[in-house]
Coordinates of all heavy atoms in Angstrom, one line a residue:
M1 N 9.5 0.1 4.5 CA 10.1 0.5 5.8 C 9.1 0.0 6.9 O 7.9 0.0 6.8 CB 10.1 2.1 5.9 CG 10.7 2.6 7.1 SD 10.8 4.4 7.0 CE 11.0 4.8 8.7
S2 N 9.7 -0.5 7.9 CA 8.9 -1.1 9.0 C 8.5 0.0 10.0 O 8.9 1.1 9.9 CB 9.6 -2.2 9.7 OG 10.7 -1.7 10.4
A3 N 7.6 -0.4 10.9 CA 7.1 0.5 11.9 C 8.1 1.0 12.9 O 8.0 2.2 13.3 CB 5.9 -0.1 12.7
V4 N 9.1 0.2 13.1 CA 10.2 0.6 14.0 C 11.5 0.4 13.4 O 11.9 -0.7 12.9 CB 10.1 -0.3 15.4 CG1 11.3 0.1 16.3 CG2 8.8 -0.2 16.0
C5 N 12.3 1.6 13.3 CA 13.6 1.5 12.6 C 14.7 2.0 13.5 O 14.6 3.1 13.9 CB 13.6 2.3 11.4 SG 12.5 1.6 10.1
P6 N 15.7 1.2 13.9 CA 16.8 1.8 14.7 C 17.6 2.8 13.8 O 17.7 2.6 12.6 CB 17.6 0.6 14.9 CG 16.9 -0.7 14.5 CD 15.8 -0.2 13.6
C7 N 18.0 3.8 14.4 CA 18.9 4.8 13.7 C 20.1 5.1 14.6 O 20.2 4.5 15.6 CB 18.2 6.1 13.3 SG 17.5 7.0 14.7
V8 N 21.0 5.9 14.1 CA 22.3 6.1 14.8 C 22.1 6.5 16.2 O 22.8 6.0 17.1 CB 23.1 7.2 14.1 CG1 24.4 7.5 14.8 CG2 23.4 6.8 12.6
D9 N 21.2 7.5 16.5 CA 21.1 8.0 17.9 C 19.8 7.6 18.6 O 19.3 8.2 19.5 CB 21.2 9.6 17.8 CG 20.3 10.2 16.8 OD1 19.5 9.4 16.1 OD2 20.3 11.4 16.6
G10 N 19.1 6.5 18.0 CA 17.8 6.1 18.7 C 17.0 5.2 17.8 O 17.4 4.4 17.1
L11 N 15.7 5.5 17.9 CA 14.7 4.8 17.1 C 13.8 5.8 16.3 O 13.5 6.8 16.9 CB 13.8 4.0 18.1 CG 14.3 2.8 18.7 CD1 13.2 2.3 19.7 CD2 14.6 1.7 17.7
V12 N 13.4 5.4 15.1 CA 12.4 6.1 14.4 C 11.1 5.2 14.4 O 11.2 4.0 14.0 CB 12.8 6.4 13.0 CG1 11.7 7.1 12.2 CG2 14.1 7.3 13.0
L13 N 10.0 5.8 14.8 CA 8.8 5.1 14.9 C 7.8 5.6 13.8 O 7.6 6.9 13.8 CB 8.1 5.2 16.3 CG 9.0 4.8 17.5 CD1 8.2 5.1 18.7 CD2 9.4 3.4 17.4
R14 N 7.1 4.8 13.1 CA 6.0 5.2 12.2 C 4.8 4.9 12.9 O 4.5 3.8 13.2 CB 6.1 4.6 10.9 CG 7.4 5.0 10.1 CD 7.5 4.4 8.8 NE 6.5 4.6 7.9 CZ 6.0 3.8 7.0 NH1 6.4 2.5 7.0 NH2 5.0 4.1 6.2
L15 N 4.0 5.9 13.3 CA 2.8 5.8 14.2 C 1.5 6.1 13.5 O 1.4 7.0 12.6 CB 3.0 6.7 15.4 CG 4.2 6.6 16.2 CD1 4.2 7.6 17.4 CD2 4.3 5.1 16.8
Y16 N 0.5 5.4 13.9 CA -0.9 5.8 13.6 C -1.5 6.1 14.9 O -1.5 5.2 15.8 CB -1.6 4.6 12.9 CG -3.1 4.9 12.7 CD1 -3.5 5.7 11.6 CD2 -4.1 4.4 13.5 CE1 -4.8 6.0 11.4 CE2 -5.4 4.6 13.3 CZ -5.8 5.5 12.3 OH -7.1 5.8 12.1
I17 N -2.0 7.3 15.0 CA -2.5 7.8 16.3 C -4.0 7.7 16.4 O -4.7 8.1 15.5 CB -2.1 9.3 16.6 CG1 -0.6 9.4 16.4 CG2 -2.6 9.7 18.0 CD1 0.2 8.6 17.3
Q18 N -4.6 7.2 17.5 CA -6.0 7.1 17.7 C -6.3 8.0 18.9 O -6.0 7.6 20.1 CB -6.4 5.7 18.1 CG -7.9 5.6 18.3 CD -8.3 4.3 19.0 OE1 -7.6 3.3 19.0 NE2 -9.5 4.3 19.6
P19 N -6.8 9.2 18.6 CA -7.0 10.2 19.7 C -8.3 9.8 20.4 O -9.1 9.0 19.9 CB -7.1 11.6 19.0 CG -7.4 11.2 17.6 CD -6.9 9.8 17.3
K20 N -8.6 10.4 21.6 CA -9.8 10.3 22.3 C -10.1 8.8 22.7 O -11.2 8.4 22.7 CB -11.0 10.9 21.6 CG -11.0 12.4 21.5 CD -12.3 13.0 21.2 CE -12.7 12.7 19.8 NZ -13.8 13.5 19.3
A21 N -9.0 8.1 23.0 CA -9.2 6.6 23.3 C -9.5 6.6 24.9 O -9.4 7.6 25.5 CB -7.9 5.9 23.1
S22 N -10.0 5.4 25.3 CA -10.3 5.4 26.7 C -9.1 5.4 27.7 O -9.1 5.8 28.8 CB -11.1 4.1 27.0 OG -10.4 3.0 26.6
R23 N -7.9 5.0 27.1 CA -6.7 5.0 27.9 C -5.5 5.1 26.9 O -5.6 4.7 25.8 CB -6.5 3.8 28.8 CG -6.5 2.4 28.1 CD -6.6 1.2 29.0 NE -6.5 0.1 28.3 CZ -5.3 -0.7 28.2 NH1 -4.3 -0.2 28.8 NH2 -5.2 -1.8 27.6
D24 N -4.4 5.5 27.5 CA -3.2 5.6 26.7 C -2.5 4.2 26.5 O -2.4 3.5 27.6 CB -2.1 6.4 27.4 CG -2.6 7.9 27.5 OD1 -3.4 8.4 26.6 OD2 -2.2 8.6 28.4
S25 N -2.2 3.8 25.3 CA -1.6 2.5 25.2 C -0.9 2.4 23.8 O -1.4 3.0 22.8 CB -2.6 1.3 25.4 OG -3.5 1.3 24.3
I26 N 0.1 1.5 23.7 CA 0.7 1.2 22.5 C -0.1 -0.1 22.1 O 0.0 -1.2 22.7 CB 2.1 0.8 22.6 CG1 2.9 2.1 23.0 CG2 2.7 0.3 21.3 CD1 4.4 1.9 23.3
V27 N -0.9 0.0 21.0 CA -1.8 -1.1 20.7 C -1.2 -2.2 19.9 O -1.4 -3.4 20.2 CB -3.0 -0.5 19.8 CG1 -4.0 -1.5 19.5 CG2 -3.7 0.7 20.6
G28 N -0.3 -1.9 19.0 CA 0.3 -2.9 18.2 C 0.3 -2.5 16.7 O 0.1 -1.3 16.4
L29 N 0.5 -3.4 15.8 CA 0.6 -3.0 14.4 C -0.7 -2.6 13.8 O -1.7 -3.1 14.1 CB 1.2 -4.1 13.6 CG 2.7 -4.2 13.5 CD1 3.1 -5.3 12.6 CD2 3.3 -2.9 13.0
H30 N -0.7 -1.5 13.0 CA -1.9 -1.1 12.2 C -1.3 -0.9 10.7 O -0.7 0.1 10.5 CB -2.3 0.2 12.7 CG -3.6 0.8 12.0 ND1 -4.8 0.5 12.3 CD2 -3.6 1.7 11.0 CE1 -5.6 1.1 11.5 NE2 -4.9 1.9 10.7
G31 N -1.5 -2.0 9.9 CA -0.8 -2.0 8.6 C 0.7 -2.0 8.8 O 1.2 -2.9 9.5
D32 N 1.4 -1.1 8.3 CA 2.9 -1.0 8.5 C 3.3 0.1 9.5 O 4.4 0.5 9.5 CB 3.6 -0.9 7.1 CG 3.2 0.4 6.4 OD1 2.3 1.1 6.9 OD2 3.9 0.7 5.4
E33 N 2.3 0.5 10.4 CA 2.6 1.5 11.4 C 2.3 0.9 12.7 O 1.5 -0.1 12.9 CB 1.7 2.7 11.1 CG 2.1 3.4 9.8 CD 1.1 4.5 9.5 OE1 -0.1 4.3 9.5 OE2 1.5 5.6 9.3
L34 N 2.8 1.5 13.7 CA 2.6 1.2 15.1 C 1.3 2.0 15.6 O 1.5 3.3 15.5 CB 3.8 1.5 16.0 CG 3.7 1.0 17.4 CD1 3.6 -0.5 17.5 CD2 5.1 1.4 18.1
K35 N 0.3 1.4 16.1 CA -0.9 2.1 16.5 C -0.7 2.5 18.0 O -0.4 1.7 18.8 CB -2.1 1.3 16.3 CG -3.4 2.0 16.7 CD -4.6 1.3 16.3 CE -5.9 2.0 16.7 NZ -7.1 1.2 16.3
V36 N -0.9 3.8 18.3 CA -0.9 4.3 19.6 C -2.2 5.0 20.0 O -2.6 5.9 19.2 CB 0.3 5.3 19.8 CG1 0.3 5.8 21.2 CG2 1.7 4.6 19.5
A37 N -2.8 4.5 21.0 CA -4.1 5.2 21.5 C -3.7 6.1 22.6 O -3.0 5.8 23.5 CB -5.0 4.1 22.0
I38 N -4.3 7.4 22.5 CA -4.1 8.3 23.5 C -5.4 8.9 23.9 O -6.3 9.1 23.1 CB -3.1 9.4 23.1 CG1 -3.5 10.1 21.8 CG2 -1.7 8.9 23.0 CD1 -2.7 11.4 21.5
T39 N -5.5 9.4 25.1 CA -6.8 10.0 25.6 C -7.1 11.4 25.2 O -8.2 11.8 25.2 CB -6.8 9.9 27.1 OG1 -5.7 10.6 27.7 CG2 -6.8 8.4 27.7
A40 N -6.1 12.1 24.8 CA -6.2 13.5 24.4 C -7.0 13.7 23.1 O -6.9 12.9 22.2 CB -4.8 14.2 24.3
P41 N -7.8 14.8 23.0 CA -8.5 15.0 21.8 C -7.6 15.7 20.8 O -6.6 16.3 21.2 CB -9.6 16.0 22.2 CG -9.0 16.7 23.4 CD -8.1 15.7 24.1
P42 N -7.8 15.6 19.5 CA -6.9 16.2 18.5 C -7.2 17.7 18.3 O -7.6 18.1 17.2 CB -7.2 15.3 17.2 CG -8.7 15.0 17.4 CD -8.9 14.8 18.9
V43 N -7.0 18.4 19.4 CA -7.3 19.9 19.3 C -6.1 20.7 19.7 O -5.5 20.4 20.8 CB -8.5 20.2 20.4 CG1 -8.8 21.6 20.3 CG2 -9.7 19.3 20.1
D44 N -5.8 21.7 18.9 CA -4.7 22.7 19.2 C -3.5 22.0 19.7 O -2.9 22.5 20.7 CB -5.2 23.7 20.3 CG -6.5 24.4 19.8 OD1 -6.6 24.6 18.7 OD2 -7.2 24.8 20.7
G45 N -3.0 21.0 19.1 CA -1.8 20.3 19.5 C -1.8 19.6 20.8 O -0.7 19.1 21.3
Q46 N -3.0 19.4 21.4 CA -3.1 18.7 22.6 C -2.6 17.3 22.5 O -1.9 16.7 23.3 CB -4.5 18.7 23.2 CG -4.9 20.0 23.9 CD -6.3 20.0 24.3 OE1 -6.9 18.9 24.7 NE2 -6.9 21.2 24.4
A47 N -3.1 16.7 21.4 CA -2.7 15.2 21.1 C -1.2 15.1 21.0 O -0.6 14.1 21.5 CB -3.5 14.7 19.9
N48 N -0.6 16.0 20.2 CA 0.9 15.9 20.1 C 1.6 16.0 21.4 O 2.5 15.2 21.7 CB 1.4 17.0 19.1 CG 1.1 16.6 17.7 OD1 0.7 15.5 17.3 ND2 1.2 17.6 16.8
A49 N 1.2 17.0 22.2 CA 1.8 17.2 23.5 C 1.6 16.0 24.4 O 2.5 15.4 25.1 CB 1.2 18.4 24.2
H50 N 0.4 15.4 24.3 CA 0.1 14.2 25.2 C 0.9 13.0 24.7 O 1.5 12.2 25.5 CB -1.4 13.9 25.1 CG -1.9 12.9 26.1 ND1 -2.3 13.3 27.3 CD2 -2.1 11.6 26.0 CE1 -2.7 12.2 28.0 NE2 -2.5 11.2 27.2
L51 N 1.0 12.8 23.3 CA 1.7 11.7 22.7 C 3.2 11.8 23.1 O 3.8 10.8 23.5 CB 1.6 11.8 21.2 CG 2.4 10.8 20.5 CD1 1.9 9.4 20.7 CD2 2.4 11.0 19.0
T52 N 3.7 13.0 23.0 CA 5.2 13.2 23.4 C 5.4 12.8 24.8 O 6.4 12.1 25.1 CB 5.6 14.7 23.2 OG1 5.3 15.1 21.9 CG2 7.0 14.9 23.5
K53 N 4.5 13.2 25.7 CA 4.6 12.9 27.1 C 4.5 11.4 27.4 O 5.3 10.8 28.1 CB 3.6 13.7 27.9 CG 3.8 13.7 29.4 CD 3.0 14.8 30.0 CE 1.8 14.3 30.8 NZ 0.9 15.3 31.3
F54 N 3.5 10.8 26.7 CA 3.3 9.3 26.9 C 4.5 8.5 26.3 O 5.0 7.6 27.0 CB 2.0 8.9 26.1 CG 1.8 7.4 26.0 CD1 1.5 6.7 27.2 CD2 1.9 6.8 24.9 CE1 1.4 5.4 27.2 CE2 1.6 5.4 24.8 CZ 1.4 4.7 25.9
L55 N 5.0 8.9 25.2 CA 6.2 8.2 24.6 C 7.4 8.4 25.5 O 8.2 7.4 25.7 CB 6.4 8.6 23.2 CG 5.4 8.1 22.2 CD1 5.7 8.7 20.8 CD2 5.3 6.6 22.1
A56 N 7.6 9.6 26.0 CA 8.8 9.9 26.8 C 8.7 9.0 28.0 O 9.8 8.4 28.5 CB 8.8 11.3 27.3
K57 N 7.5 8.7 28.6 CA 7.4 7.9 29.8 C 7.7 6.4 29.4 O 8.4 5.7 30.2 CB 6.0 8.0 30.3 CG 5.8 7.6 31.8 CD 4.3 7.6 32.1 CE 4.0 8.7 33.0 NZ 2.5 8.7 33.4
Q58 N 7.2 6.0 28.3 CA 7.3 4.6 27.9 C 8.8 4.3 27.6 O 9.3 3.2 27.9 CB 6.5 4.3 26.6 CG 5.0 4.4 26.7 CD 4.5 3.4 27.7 OE1 4.8 2.2 27.6 NE2 3.7 3.9 28.7
F59 N 9.5 5.2 27.0 CA 10.9 4.9 26.6 C 11.9 5.5 27.6 O 13.1 5.4 27.5 CB 11.2 5.6 25.2 CG 10.6 4.9 24.1 CD1 9.3 5.2 23.7 CD2 11.2 3.8 23.5 CE1 8.7 4.5 22.6 CE2 10.6 3.1 22.4 CZ 9.4 3.5 22.0
R60 N 11.3 6.1 28.7 CA 12.2 6.6 29.8 C 13.2 7.6 29.3 O 14.3 7.5 29.6 CB 12.8 5.5 30.6 CG 11.9 4.7 31.3 CD 12.5 4.0 32.6 NE 11.7 2.9 33.1 CZ 12.0 1.6 33.0 NH1 13.1 1.2 32.5 NH2 11.1 0.7 33.5
V61 N 12.7 8.6 28.6 CA 13.5 9.7 28.1 C 12.8 11.0 28.5 O 11.7 11.1 28.8 CB 13.7 9.7 26.6 CG1 14.5 8.4 26.2 CG2 12.5 9.7 25.8
A62 N 13.5 12.1 28.3 CA 13.0 13.4 28.6 C 12.1 13.8 27.4 O 12.3 13.3 26.3 CB 14.1 14.5 28.7
K63 N 11.1 14.6 27.6 CA 10.1 15.0 26.5 C 10.9 15.6 25.4 O 10.5 15.4 24.2 CB 9.1 15.9 27.0 CG 8.0 15.2 27.9 CD 6.8 16.1 28.2 CE 7.2 17.2 29.1 NZ 6.1 17.8 29.9
S64 N 12.0 16.3 25.6 CA 12.8 16.9 24.5 C 13.4 15.9 23.6 O 13.9 16.2 22.6 CB 13.8 17.9 25.1 OG 14.7 17.1 26.0
Q65 N 13.5 14.6 24.1 CA 14.1 13.6 23.3 C 13.1 12.8 22.4 O 13.4 11.8 21.7 CB 14.8 12.5 24.2 CG 16.1 13.1 24.8 CD 16.7 12.1 25.8 OE1 16.3 12.1 27.0 NE2 17.7 11.4 25.3
V66 N 11.8 13.3 22.4 CA 10.8 12.7 21.6 C 10.5 13.8 20.5 O 10.0 14.9 20.9 CB 9.5 12.4 22.4 CG1 8.5 11.9 21.4 CG2 9.8 11.4 23.5
I67 N 10.9 13.5 19.3 CA 10.8 14.5 18.3 C 9.7 14.0 17.2 O 9.9 13.0 16.6 CB 12.2 14.7 17.6 CG1 13.1 15.2 18.7 CG2 12.0 15.7 16.4 CD1 14.6 15.0 18.3
I68 N 8.7 14.8 17.0 CA 7.8 14.5 15.9 C 8.4 15.1 14.6 O 8.4 16.3 14.4 CB 6.4 15.1 16.2 CG1 5.8 14.5 17.5 CG2 5.4 14.9 15.0 CD1 4.5 15.1 17.9
E69 N 8.9 14.2 13.7 CA 9.5 14.6 12.5 C 8.5 14.9 11.4 O 8.8 15.7 10.5 CB 10.5 13.5 12.1 CG 11.6 13.3 13.1 CD 12.7 12.3 12.5 OE1 12.3 11.2 12.0 OE2 13.9 12.5 12.7
K70 N 7.5 14.1 11.3 CA 6.5 14.3 10.2 C 5.1 14.0 10.8 O 5.0 13.3 11.8 CB 6.7 13.2 9.2 CG 7.9 13.3 8.3 CD 7.9 12.3 7.2 CE 9.3 12.3 6.5 NZ 9.5 10.9 6.0
G71 N 4.2 14.7 10.2 CA 2.7 14.4 10.6 C 2.2 15.2 11.8 O 1.4 14.7 12.5
E72 N 2.7 16.4 12.1 CA 2.3 17.2 13.2 C 0.7 17.3 13.2 O 0.1 17.3 14.3 CB 2.8 18.7 13.1 CG 4.3 18.8 13.4 CD 4.5 19.0 14.8 OE1 3.6 19.6 15.5 OE2 5.6 18.7 15.3
L73 N 0.1 17.4 12.1 CA -1.3 17.7 12.0 C -2.2 16.5 11.7 O -3.4 16.5 11.7 CB -1.6 18.8 11.0 CG -0.9 20.1 11.4 CD1 -1.2 21.1 10.3 CD2 -1.5 20.7 12.7
G74 N -1.5 15.4 11.4 CA -2.3 14.2 11.0 C -2.2 13.0 12.0 O -1.6 13.1 13.0
R75 N -2.9 12.0 11.6 CA -2.9 10.8 12.5 C -1.7 9.9 12.2 O -1.3 9.1 13.0 CB -4.1 9.9 12.2 CG -5.3 10.4 12.8 CD -6.6 9.6 12.4 NE -7.7 10.1 13.2 CZ -8.5 9.4 13.9 NH1 -8.3 8.1 13.9 NH2 -9.5 9.9 14.6
H76 N -1.1 10.1 11.0 CA 0.1 9.3 10.6 C 1.3 10.2 11.0 O 1.5 11.3 10.5 CB 0.1 9.0 9.2 CG -1.1 8.2 8.8 ND1 -1.2 6.8 8.9 CD2 -2.4 8.6 8.3 CE1 -2.4 6.4 8.5 NE2 -3.1 7.5 8.2
K77 N 2.1 9.7 11.9 CA 3.3 10.4 12.3 C 4.6 9.7 12.2 O 4.5 8.4 12.3 CB 3.1 10.9 13.8 CG 1.9 11.7 14.1 CD 1.9 12.3 15.4 CE 0.6 13.0 15.7 NZ 0.3 14.1 14.9
Q78 N 5.7 10.4 12.1 CA 7.0 9.8 12.2 C 7.7 10.4 13.4 O 7.8 11.7 13.5 CB 7.8 10.0 11.0 CG 9.2 9.3 11.1 CD 9.9 9.4 9.7 OE1 9.3 9.0 8.7 NE2 11.1 9.8 9.7
V79 N 8.0 9.7 14.4 CA 8.6 10.2 15.6 C 9.9 9.5 15.9 O 10.1 8.4 15.7 CB 7.6 9.8 16.8 CG1 8.2 10.3 18.2 CG2 6.3 10.4 16.6
K80 N 10.8 10.4 16.3 CA 12.2 9.9 16.6 C 12.4 10.0 18.2 O 12.0 10.9 18.8 CB 13.2 10.8 16.0 CG 14.6 10.3 16.1 CD 15.6 11.2 15.4 CE 16.7 10.5 14.7 NZ 17.6 11.3 14.0
I81 N 12.9 8.8 18.7 CA 13.2 8.7 20.1 C 14.7 8.7 20.3 O 15.3 7.8 19.8 CB 12.6 7.4 20.8 CG1 11.1 7.2 20.4 CG2 12.8 7.4 22.3 CD1 10.1 8.0 21.0
L82 N 15.2 9.7 20.9 CA 16.7 9.8 21.1 C 17.1 9.0 22.3 O 16.6 9.2 23.4 CB 17.1 11.3 21.2 CG 16.8 12.2 20.0 CD1 17.2 13.6 20.4 CD2 17.5 11.7 18.8
N83 N 18.1 8.1 22.1 CA 18.7 7.3 23.2 C 17.7 6.8 24.1 O 17.8 7.1 25.4 CB 19.7 8.2 23.9 CG 20.7 8.8 23.0 OD1 21.3 8.2 22.1 ND2 21.0 10.1 23.1
P84 N 16.8 5.9 23.7 CA 15.8 5.4 24.6 C 16.5 4.6 25.7 O 17.4 3.8 25.5 CB 14.9 4.5 23.7 CG 15.7 4.3 22.5 CD 16.7 5.4 22.4
Q85 N 16.0 4.7 26.9 CA 16.5 4.0 28.1 C 15.7 2.7 28.3 O 16.2 1.8 29.0 CB 16.4 4.8 29.4 CG 17.1 6.1 29.3 CD 18.6 6.0 29.0 OE1 19.3 5.3 29.7 NE2 19.0 6.6 27.9
N86 N 14.6 2.6 27.7 CA 13.7 1.4 27.9 C 13.0 1.2 26.5 O 12.6 2.2 25.9 CB 12.7 1.8 29.0 CG 11.7 0.7 29.1 OD1 12.0 -0.5 29.3 ND2 10.4 1.0 29.0
I87 N 12.8 0.0 26.1 CA 12.0 -0.3 24.9 C 10.7 -1.0 25.4 O 10.8 -2.1 25.9 CB 12.8 -1.1 24.0 CG1 14.2 -0.6 23.6 CG2 12.0 -1.4 22.7 CD1 14.3 0.7 22.8
P88 N 9.5 -0.4 25.2 CA 8.3 -1.1 25.5 C 8.2 -2.5 24.8 O 8.7 -2.6 23.7 CB 7.2 -0.2 25.0 CG 7.9 1.2 25.0 CD 9.3 0.9 24.6
T89 N 7.7 -3.4 25.4 CA 7.6 -4.8 24.9 C 7.0 -4.8 23.5 O 7.4 -5.5 22.6 CB 6.8 -5.8 25.8 OG1 5.7 -5.1 26.2 CG2 7.6 -6.2 27.0
E90 N 5.9 -4.0 23.3 CA 5.2 -4.0 22.0 C 6.2 -3.5 20.9 O 6.1 -4.0 19.8 CB 4.0 -3.1 22.0 CG 3.0 -3.4 23.0 CD 3.1 -2.8 24.4 OE1 4.3 -2.2 24.7 OE2 2.2 -2.8 25.2
V91 N 7.0 -2.6 21.2 CA 8.0 -2.0 20.3 C 9.2 -3.0 20.1 O 9.6 -3.2 19.0 CB 8.5 -0.6 20.8 CG1 9.6 -0.1 19.8 CG2 7.4 0.3 20.9
A92 N 9.7 -3.6 21.1 CA 10.8 -4.5 21.1 C 10.4 -5.7 20.2 O 11.2 -6.2 19.3 CB 11.1 -5.0 22.4
A93 N 9.2 -6.2 20.3 CA 8.7 -7.3 19.5 C 8.8 -7.0 18.0 O 9.1 -7.8 17.2 CB 7.3 -7.7 19.8
L94 N 8.5 -5.7 17.7 CA 8.4 -5.3 16.3 C 9.9 -5.2 15.7 O 10.1 -5.5 14.6 CB 7.7 -4.0 16.1 CG 6.2 -4.1 16.4 CD1 5.6 -2.7 16.3 CD2 5.5 -5.0 15.5
S95 N 10.7 -4.6 16.6 CA 12.1 -4.4 16.1 C 12.9 -5.7 15.8 O 13.9 -5.6 15.2 CB 12.8 -3.4 17.0 OG 12.8 -3.8 18.3
Q96 N 12.4 -6.8 16.4 CA 13.1 -8.0 16.3 C 12.8 -8.7 14.9 O 13.5 -9.6 14.5 CB 12.7 -9.1 17.3 CG 12.8 -8.6 18.8 CD 14.2 -8.1 19.1 OE1 15.2 -8.8 18.8 NE2 14.4 -7.0 19.8
Q97 N 11.7 -8.2 14.3 CA 11.1 -8.9 13.1 C 12.0 -8.8 11.9 O 12.0 -9.7 11.0 CB 9.7 -8.5 12.8 CG 8.7 -8.9 13.8 CD 7.4 -8.4 13.5 OE1 7.2 -7.6 12.6 NE2 6.4 -8.8 14.3
D98 N 12.8 -7.7 11.7 CA 13.5 -7.5 10.5 C 14.6 -8.5 10.3 O 15.4 -8.8 11.0 CB 14.1 -6.1 10.5 CG 13.0 -5.1 10.5 OD1 11.8 -5.5 10.1 OD2 13.2 -3.9 10.8

């Protein structure tokens, strides 16, 4: 399975999260996952909330349209983006590869 998979109602992303980074960014591939750096520390769900907000902004969707399907507590996550209005260039480049 690749890092970015289109599904019926949006995209499924397989992510590797790097918390406490100097800035929020979609870094690129990390093995077969998409690496996302976020500034929030991995404490009490802060990183998940921050990640949801960051991805919502990148894909131009409401925060409720970013769903963490797997990996709530780990660095490896599977996230679903419902009906993305915008595809960040780093993600678009990956979804073309298949």
Side-chain angles (χ1 to χ4, degrees):
M1 186 174 158
S2 66
V4 179
C5 295
C7 63
V8 179
D9 49 1
L11 285 174
V12 174
L13 309 176
R14 292 176 64 217
L15 304 177
Y16 174 77
I17 307 302
Q18 179 195 343
K20 291 199 293 198
S22 57
R23 63 192 183 97
D24 295 332
S25 66
I26 297 174
V27 181
L29 273 184
H30 178 87
D32 59 353
E33 296 171 306
L34 185 61
K35 184 174 178 180
V36 177
I38 55 170
T39 54
V43 180
D44 299 333
Q46 282 178 27
N48 282 346
H50 192 89
L51 175 68
T52 301
K53 197 160 105 183
F54 173 66
L55 290 176
K57 197 188 259 180
Q58 295 297 308
F59 287 91
R60 294 205 194 113
V61 295
K63 284 188 291 202
S64 60
Q65 290 176 275
V66 178
I67 300 158
I68 298 176
E69 295 185 318
K70 291 185 192 153
E72 286 272 334
L73 299 173
R75 286 176 173 230
H76 302 274
K77 301 190 186 298
Q78 182 171 309
V79 177
K80 187 179 218 177
I81 312 284
L82 298 175
N83 306 315
Q85 303 302 305
N86 175 55
I87 308 289
T89 45
E90 301 88 346
V91 176
L94 295 176
S95 54
Q96 307 302 317
Q97 290 176 356
D98 294 343

